[in-house]
Amino acid sequence: AQTVTQSQPEMSVQEAETVTLSCTYDTSESDYYLFWYKQPPSRQMILVIRQEAYKQQNATENRFSVNFQKAAKSFSLKISDSQLGDAAMYFCAYCTGGSTLGRLYFGRGTQLTVWP
Amino acid sequence: EPEVTQTPSHQVTQMGQEVILRCVPISNHLYFYWYRQILGQKVEFLVSFYNNEISEKSEIFDDQFSVERPDGSNFTLKIRSTKLEDSAMYFCASHPTKFTDTQYFGPGTRLTVL
């Protein structure tokens, strides 16, 4: 069974500093995709970044980057130059193809607080 | 930029009543999903829908739930007889032809069952 684990229920960071959110997953598949979604207080789910498992290069999107360690099944999110608007719940998610047709499995989330 | 829309944003209902949650996926998308998030908990998959039929459903998606795409644009989730534990945020998501593409989420419908 696919599981996604986020071991940090809460994290905090000072504005302009860097923070890393952890995520591990368990799968027997070789082809899959990983995502980080952000959920602000409005509860809208917003895609932050995605990573294809077959790509060795870590994905980056502006201030957001990932450290994808396939052998360790680890997928952490680094937020550089943190801004007040980054404060939100962050969910790590996994999906595979095949019969599950893109069903997403989510972790329990990490609540990020950004201090001014 | 196209987006997934959901209505209503908040629905309050009495236990035992039927509710229909509506979603309009992005127009060229072919794969549709419903997820739910009970307050303070993780997002859980309910059902996936492709080619006018259910592709997969979770153990949560029992006989009280149904989905349909009645007119080629709307995608609805019906709960026949709501229970208190159905209170949650319900998210619709969609993605285009390639099933491993990113899923785009709607803003959610908050369902409160009294």
Side-chain angles (χ1 to χ4, degrees):
Chain A
Q2 288 85 356
T3 58
V4 178
T5 302
Q6 293 179 250
S7 59
Q8 307 151 318
E10 298 177 351
M11 289 285 284
S12 61
V13 64
Q14 203 81 28
E15 198 176 5
E17 297 296 308
T18 296
V19 65
T20 299
L21 309 183
S22 302
C23 173
T24 58
Y25 58 94
D26 186 26
T27 183
S28 57
E29 302 288 335
S30 59
D31 185 21
Y32 52 87
Y33 291 70
L34 296 162
F35 306 86
W36 279 97
Y37 281 90
K38 168 185 176 181
Q39 187 180 49
S42 66
R43 298 188 75 184
Q44 167 95 52
M45 295 289 284
I46 302 165
L47 177 71
V48 174
I49 198 164
R50 70 192 287 265
Q51 173 82 42
E52 294 92 335
Y54 63 86
K55 287 189 178 178
Q56 292 188 332
Q57 187 174 7
N58 290 323
T60 62
E61 285 289 340
N62 301 314
R63 298 182 295 106
F64 298 88
S65 61
V66 298
N67 183 5
F68 173 47
Q69 301 289 326
K70 191 171 184 178
K73 294 180 182 174
S74 170
F75 182 62
S76 60
L77 174 70
K78 185 170 83 170
I79 306 174
S80 304
D81 185 27
S82 298
Q83 300 175 359
L84 295 177
D86 295 333
M89 181 72 91
Y90 285 81
F91 290 99
C92 179
Y94 160 102
C95 85
T96 184
S99 61
T100 54
L101 276 178
R103 166 183 178 172
L104 283 169
Y105 296 84
F106 286 87
R108 292 195 169 274
T110 296
Q111 181 67 51
L112 178 66
T113 301
V114 181
W115 300 104
Chain B
E1 184 177 335
E3 57 183 21
V4 178
T5 59
Q6 289 185 244
T7 54
S9 57
H10 190 192
Q11 174 89 45
V12 180
T13 189
Q14 295 290 326
M15 188 170 58
Q17 295 297 303
E18 175 183 287
V19 295
I20 298 176
L21 310 182
R22 291 183 169 80
C23 168
V24 179
I26 295 172
S27 63
N28 64 341
H29 286 193
L30 299 178
Y31 298 84
F32 313 112
Y33 303 82
W34 283 102
Y35 294 85
R36 82 169 184 192
Q37 184 186 29
I38 295 171
L39 187 63
Q41 299 189 23
K42 67 178 177 180
V43 179
E44 301 173 290
F45 167 81
L46 290 177
V47 65
S48 58
F49 191 86
Y50 169 69
N51 200 26
N52 283 321
E53 61 183 21
I54 290 173
S55 305
E56 187 190 8
K57 56 185 180 180
S58 72
E59 60 279 2
I60 302 169
F61 194 89
D62 61 22
D63 292 344
Q64 293 298 315
F65 292 89
S66 63
V67 290
E68 65 174 1
R69 192 158 155 81
D71 56 11
S73 62
N74 289 284
F75 178 50
T76 62
L77 174 69
K78 182 193 292 186
I79 309 175
R80 271 182 260 283
S81 178
T82 50
K83 308 186 199 66
L84 295 176
E85 53 265 37
D86 293 327
S87 294
M89 196 77 162
Y90 288 82
F91 292 101
C92 172
S94 70
H95 63 79
T97 56
K98 189 177 174 188
F99 60 74
T100 46
D101 266 349
T102 301
Q103 291 184 29
Y104 294 89
F105 282 77
T109 292
R110 179 180 297 179
L111 176 65
T112 302
V113 182
L114 302 175

